[in-house]
Amino acid sequence: MRNLFPILMLITNLSLNNDNNNNSNNNLIHATCRETPYYSLCLSILESDPRSYEAEGSDDITTLGLIMVDAVKSKSIEIMKKLKELEKSNPKWRVPLNQCYVAYNAVLRADVTVAVEALKRGVPKFAEDGMDDVVVEAQTCEFSFNYYNKSDFPISNMTRDIIELSKIAKSIIRMLL
């Protein structure tokens, strides 16, 4: 029984330290998201990713930036899948959808990749530029579709989402400058 007491004290101490760390990171998440243009979206993305609570020390903001860049990447992949579906169901949209596919391929292969590497290497300016480019690529896609077709852009909601995500990522990255 005497050996059990120190073990219980150790477990209690570890759980209290873990709660304090999570509370501290939760405060950081809220403070960070308040500095972005889309607070609620920022909060939902960061709070849903366990890496937000594992970040420690000077890497906190960098980790939050990486999480948001990953959200941009995920949305890009989702959009590219949707573009392929639309091309199959609407062959007449092939030209503008292909241009959109090229634009989002650039987001994945260049903009997101550069942003991740820049954040990991401590060069946030290049990451910021990458997130600016995401907005340009998304707008280019929408413009090309509207230029070739007079109907509504079928992924305008997704375009809005990726633009908002990239603006949040850029806001977080700017905190590192």
Side-chain angles (χ1 to χ4, degrees), residues 145-160:
F145 188 86
N146 290 334
Y147 179 79
Y148 285 99
N149 297 293
K150 300 306 176 199
S151 59
D152 290 334
F153 187 52
I155 61 167
S156 61
N157 288 342
M158 296 173 96
T159 300
R160 184 198 70 237

Side-chain angles (χ1 to χ4, degrees), residues 17-36:
N17 285 341
N18 193 31
D19 287 345
N20 288 340
N21 189 34
N22 282 344
N23 191 32
S24 171
N25 284 358
N26 198 31
N27 290 339
L28 176 67
I29 292 168
H30 283 272
T32 301
C33 288
R34 275 194 281 286
E35 300 298 319
T36 69

Side-chain angles (χ1 to χ4, degrees), residues 13 28 55 61:
N13 190 23
L28 176 67
I61 300 295

Side-chain angles (χ1 to χ4, degrees), residues 54-167:
E54 296 167 1
E56 291 185 23
S58 62
D59 292 336
D60 288 347
I61 300 295
T62 301
T63 300
L64 300 182
L66 286 166
I67 291 167
M68 202 54 65
V69 171
D70 282 348
V72 170
K73 178 181 178 180
S74 295
K75 184 56 78 172
S76 298
I77 292 168
E78 183 184 338
I79 289 171
M80 290 177 76
K81 287 178 183 176
K82 184 66 176 174
L83 291 170
K84 286 295 182 188
E85 289 173 19
L86 287 169
E87 187 178 3
K88 287 178 185 173
S89 62
N90 298 292
K92 65 182 185 223
W93 294 348
R94 192 177 57 107
V95 171
L97 291 175
N98 280 339
Q99 289 179 342
C100 288
Y101 195 84
V102 167
Y104 281 105
N105 194 39
V107 167
L108 279 177
R109 296 196 185 270
D111 304 328
V112 167
T113 304
V114 166
V116 168
E117 285 304 311
L119 286 170
K120 287 181 178 178
R121 292 177 189 216
V123 191
K125 180 63 182 146
F126 292 117
E128 179 188 26
D129 293 345
M131 292 301 99
D132 278 337
D133 288 347
V134 171
V135 173
V136 172
E137 299 291 357
Q139 291 170 338
T140 299
C141 169
E142 190 155 0
F143 174 79
S144 92
F145 188 86
N146 290 334
Y147 179 79
Y148 285 99
N149 297 293
K150 300 306 176 199
S151 59
D152 290 334
F153 187 52
I155 61 167
S156 61
N157 288 342
M158 296 173 96
T159 300
R160 184 198 70 237
D161 292 346
I162 198 165
I163 288 171
E164 289 176 0
L165 288 170
S166 63
K167 287 181 178 180

